[in-house]
Amino acid sequence: MKNLFLALVLLLTGVSSVTAQVKFGVKGGLAQSQLHGDTAEKDSFARRNSFYVGSFVEIPVKSYAIQPELLYSLSGGEVIRQGDNKETTIYLNTNNISMPVLVKLRVFAPEFEIAAGPEFTYRMSNSVIKKDRMEINKEAFNSFDLGINLGAAYYFKPHGKSFFVELRWNKNFLNILNTSNQEVKDLDLSGENKLTNSVGRLGFGYIF
């Protein structure tokens, strides 16, 4: 499985050779996601607290490194709708498989690094929109998304095996809603039923 994942990594990043310096790692932590879009005057958004977990490969290339990752994460948020007599909360819960492909640089000191790159997201079929007792889970969301991932990390040992702590921010660019779904359109969640998602992540990991 490791060899298959590494072969995919090399194909995506264009790295032609692998040395003994290639490292594998695992990570996980807390996540908080936020919806973005136009809402009615009295409506508002609320964040969703969740988690993420996954693995990665670090490939040294001259003075920097390329780090593809494979993550399972939860995202989405809430639309809080103010009616004449009551407040209604609509929950948008998405379950995702994400693949950031990051360029990493050590800065200031060997323990610190910054990272940036694209993030590709696949939304799983068990993602759901909930309103009162109603659930929309059949093609409620677009399956694929594209965004940018920015972050920083601190390694407790700058060389070799090490624990690290990281802070990441991801902003997706594409509409998360499947506007061809009539039930989704009827909810009228935002202007033209267009919503995007951003996610902040704070976690720990270990590089082998």
Side-chain angles (χ1 to χ4, degrees):
M1 191 68 180
K2 274 188 176 181
N3 291 337
L4 179 61
F5 181 47
L6 186 55
L8 177 61
V9 165
L10 298 179
L11 180 63
L12 290 172
T13 59
V15 177
S16 59
S17 63
V18 180
T19 71
Q21 293 179 315
V22 171
K23 299 176 182 178
F24 293 86
V26 293
K27 60 164 58 180
L30 303 176
Q32 187 177 81
S33 56
Q34 172 73 53
L35 296 170
H36 303 274
D38 296 326
T39 63
E41 183 177 352
K42 294 183 179 181
D43 293 354
S44 60
F45 294 130
R47 295 178 174 86
R48 183 189 185 191
N49 297 316
S50 58
F51 70 93
Y52 71 101
V53 64
S55 60
F56 62 89
V57 176
E58 183 186 84
I59 306 170
V61 183
K62 296 183 179 179
S63 60
Y64 61 95
I66 296 175
Q67 181 167 300
E69 304 178 355
L70 193 61
L71 307 176
Y72 172 74
S73 63
L74 308 180
S75 61
E78 302 173 6
V79 178
I80 301 174
R81 179 156 291 168
Q82 302 290 343
D84 293 333
N85 299 314
K86 69 172 185 175
E87 178 181 281
T88 302
T89 301
I90 304 172
Y91 301 90
L92 289 81
N93 299 332
T94 66
N95 305 310
N96 317 300
I97 299 295
S98 299
M99 187 174 181
V101 182
L102 305 172
V103 175
K104 306 196 309 177
L105 293 171
R106 294 292 172 102
V107 294
F108 309 124
E111 295 86 356
F112 290 95
E113 73 175 19
I114 56 174
E119 180 167 324
F120 308 92
T121 299
Y122 171 73
R123 291 189 184 89
M124 301 170 69
S125 59
N126 59 346
S127 299
V128 63
I129 297 177
K130 297 181 179 181
K131 179 185 178 184
D132 297 328
R133 297 182 179 180
M134 178 189 72
E135 288 192 6
I136 305 174
N137 57 9
K138 184 178 180 181
E139 300 177 347
F141 297 95
N142 289 321
S143 297
F144 295 96
D145 210 337
L146 174 66
I148 187 170
N149 190 305
L150 305 173
Y154 175 83
Y155 288 79
F156 294 96
K157 287 176 59 179
H159 306 291
K161 300 178 181 180
S162 176
F163 287 99
F164 63 88
V165 58
E166 69 173 7
L167 181 65
R168 293 282 185 84
W169 179 77
N170 162 242
K171 177 67 173 74
N172 288 324
F173 301 134
L174 306 182
N175 187 11
I176 69 173
L177 297 174
N178 179 9
T179 54
S180 64
N181 185 319
Q182 188 59 48
E183 290 181 290
V184 173
K185 292 175 68 174
D186 291 343
L187 286 176
D188 192 25
L189 294 173
S190 68
E192 300 181 352
N193 272 305
K194 183 176 182 180
L195 292 174
T196 60
N197 212 183
S198 63
V199 183
R201 297 174 181 139
L202 174 63
F204 296 88
Y206 186 79
I207 188 165
F208 297 97

